[in-house]
Coordinates of all heavy atoms in Angstrom, one line a residue:
L1401 N 2.7 18.3 3.4 CA 2.4 18.5 1.9 C 1.0 18.4 1.6 O 0.4 19.2 0.9 CB 3.2 17.3 1.1 CG 3.0 17.3 -0.4 CD1 3.5 18.6 -1.0 CD2 3.6 16.1 -1.0
T1402 N 0.3 17.4 2.2 CA -1.2 17.3 1.9 C -2.0 18.5 2.5 O -2.8 19.0 1.8 CB -1.8 16.0 2.5 OG1 -1.5 15.9 3.9 CG2 -1.2 14.8 1.8
H1403 N -1.6 19.0 3.7 CA -2.3 20.2 4.2 C -2.0 21.4 3.4 O -2.8 22.3 3.1 CB -2.0 20.4 5.7 CG -2.6 19.5 6.6 ND1 -2.1 18.2 6.8 CD2 -3.8 19.5 7.2 CE1 -2.9 17.6 7.6 NE2 -4.0 18.3 7.9
H1404 N -0.7 21.6 2.9 CA -0.3 22.7 2.2 C -1.0 22.7 0.8 O -1.5 23.7 0.4 CB 1.2 22.7 2.0 CG 1.7 23.8 1.2 ND1 1.9 25.1 1.8 CD2 2.2 24.0 -0.1 CE1 2.4 25.9 0.9 NE2 2.6 25.3 -0.2
I1405 N -1.1 21.6 0.1 CA -1.8 21.5 -1.1 C -3.2 21.8 -1.0 O -3.8 22.6 -1.7 CB -1.6 20.1 -1.8 CG1 -0.2 19.8 -2.2 CG2 -2.6 19.9 -3.0 CD1 0.1 18.4 -2.6
Q1406 N -3.9 21.2 0.0 CA -5.3 21.4 0.1 C -5.7 22.7 0.7 O -6.9 23.1 0.6 CB -5.9 20.3 1.0 CG -5.8 18.9 0.3 CD -6.3 17.8 1.2 OE1 -5.9 17.6 2.3 NE2 -7.2 17.0 0.6
G1407 N -4.8 23.4 1.3 CA -5.1 24.8 1.8 C -4.5 25.9 0.9 O -5.1 26.4 0.0
E1408 N -3.2 26.2 1.2 CA -2.6 27.3 0.6 C -2.5 27.2 -1.0 O -2.8 28.1 -1.7 CB -1.2 27.6 1.2 CG -0.6 28.9 0.8 CD -1.4 30.1 1.2 OE1 -2.0 30.1 2.3 OE2 -1.5 31.1 0.5
D1409 N -2.1 26.0 -1.4 CA -2.0 25.8 -2.9 C -3.3 25.9 -3.6 O -3.4 26.4 -4.7 CB -1.3 24.5 -3.2 CG 0.2 24.6 -3.0 OD1 0.8 25.7 -2.8 OD2 0.9 23.5 -3.1
K1410 N -4.4 25.4 -3.0 CA -5.7 25.5 -3.6 C -6.1 27.0 -3.7 O -6.7 27.4 -4.7 CB -6.8 24.7 -2.8 CG -6.7 23.2 -3.1 CD -8.0 22.6 -2.9 CE -7.9 21.1 -3.1 NZ -8.5 20.7 -4.4
R1411 N -5.8 27.8 -2.7 CA -6.1 29.2 -2.8 C -5.3 29.9 -4.0 O -5.8 30.7 -4.7 CB -5.7 30.0 -1.5 CG -6.8 29.7 -0.4 CD -6.6 30.6 0.8 NE -5.5 30.2 1.6 CZ -5.6 29.4 2.6 NH1 -6.8 28.8 2.9 NH2 -4.6 29.0 3.4
F1412 N -4.0 29.4 -4.0 CA -3.1 29.9 -5.1 C -3.7 29.5 -6.5 O -3.7 30.3 -7.4 CB -1.7 29.4 -4.9 CG -0.7 29.9 -5.9 CD1 -0.6 31.2 -6.3 CD2 0.1 28.9 -6.5 CE1 0.3 31.6 -7.3 CE2 1.1 29.3 -7.5 CZ 1.1 30.6 -7.9

Side-chain angles (χ1 to χ4, degrees):
L1401 180 63
T1402 57
H1403 286 85
H1404 183 75
I1405 291 170
Q1406 292 177 310
E1408 193 61 38
D1409 280 352
K1410 282 204 182 256
R1411 284 190 283 273
F1412 179 50

